[in-house]
Amino acid sequence: MKQILFIRHAKSDWSVSGQEDFDRSLNERGCSDMPGVIQRVTERAIQLDQISSSPAVRARTTATILAEGLSLPEPDLIDSLYLAAQSDWLQVIHALPSSMNSVGLCGHNPGITEVVESFSSQRIGNLPTAGLALIQFDETSWSTIDWGSGKLAWLDYPKLH
């Protein structure tokens, strides 16, 4: 079995006028949400082999805080996860090392909500900031994962708590 924890970046800071989208950092709430995110992943005993992330500052920071909290190595930054289309997500997943069974992928809306819905065939409407969606696949290889082949095992986000 393979599983992916889809992670939407935490709340970002819009206070800097004219700042490029890629360079937006986390705001105070985004930072304060992260200990709870780490706690919920730990409570669920989700053992990730790796976290990969969009290189955008807000996603990279979210992934780094989560990796540190789970005692994982620095996140792998993947350029194509920044504002990724569905085909980009699938390409990233198909390229994952076969030795890994459980990975975290950190990215942005609307794409991350769309891929969660497409893999699970379940409508969630919106994965909020700092939201988590665990999709499990009855597959032994990342390369055989396709749309509709997963099951939404868990969905969580800060406003539920």
Side-chain angles (χ1 to χ4, degrees):
M1 179 175 70
K2 302 288 188 189
Q3 67 179 11
I4 302 170
L5 181 64
F6 289 95
I7 308 150
R8 182 170 172 207
H9 65 77
K11 197 78 170 160
S12 61
D13 186 358
W14 287 82
S15 68
V16 180
S17 178
Q19 184 175 41
E20 293 292 324
D21 177 75
F22 186 89
D23 297 325
R24 280 191 287 118
S25 61
L26 297 184
N27 68 13
E28 187 177 321
R29 189 178 107 205
C31 291
S32 68
D33 282 342
M34 291 309 298
V37 171
I38 294 164
Q39 178 184 353
R40 288 185 289 283
V41 172
T42 302
E43 287 172 351
R44 291 274 179 165
I46 298 169
Q47 300 292 318
L48 299 176
D49 297 311
Q50 166 185 304
I51 296 176
S52 297
S53 176
S54 156
V57 173
R58 62 195 182 274
R60 182 177 70 227
T61 304
T62 300
T64 299
I65 293 168
L66 185 56
E68 288 173 359
L70 299 175
S71 300
L72 294 170
E74 281 283 315
D76 181 31
L77 302 181
I78 301 175
D79 290 342
S80 64
L81 288 181
Y82 177 60
L83 306 179
Q86 284 193 336
S87 59
D88 297 319
W89 286 96
L90 199 56
Q91 188 174 40
V92 165
I93 291 163
H94 285 172
L96 289 168
S98 60
S99 60
M100 295 184 181
N101 291 313
S102 182
V103 298
L105 297 177
C106 185
H108 312 267
N109 254 354
I112 201 161
T113 295
E114 292 169 356
V115 297
V116 167
E117 291 180 340
S118 293
F119 280 128
S120 68
S121 299
Q122 188 169 339
R123 178 129 172 84
I124 63 168
N126 177 50
L127 185 61
T129 53
L132 307 167
L134 183 67
I135 305 286
Q136 296 176 328
F137 301 90
D138 287 328
E139 302 289 338
T140 57
S141 172
W142 294 111
S143 64
T144 59
I145 287 175
D146 205 355
W147 308 119
S149 67
K151 176 186 154 218
L152 179 62
W154 180 59
L155 180 68
D156 193 34
Y157 48 91
K159 287 191 176 182
L160 288 177
H161 304 275

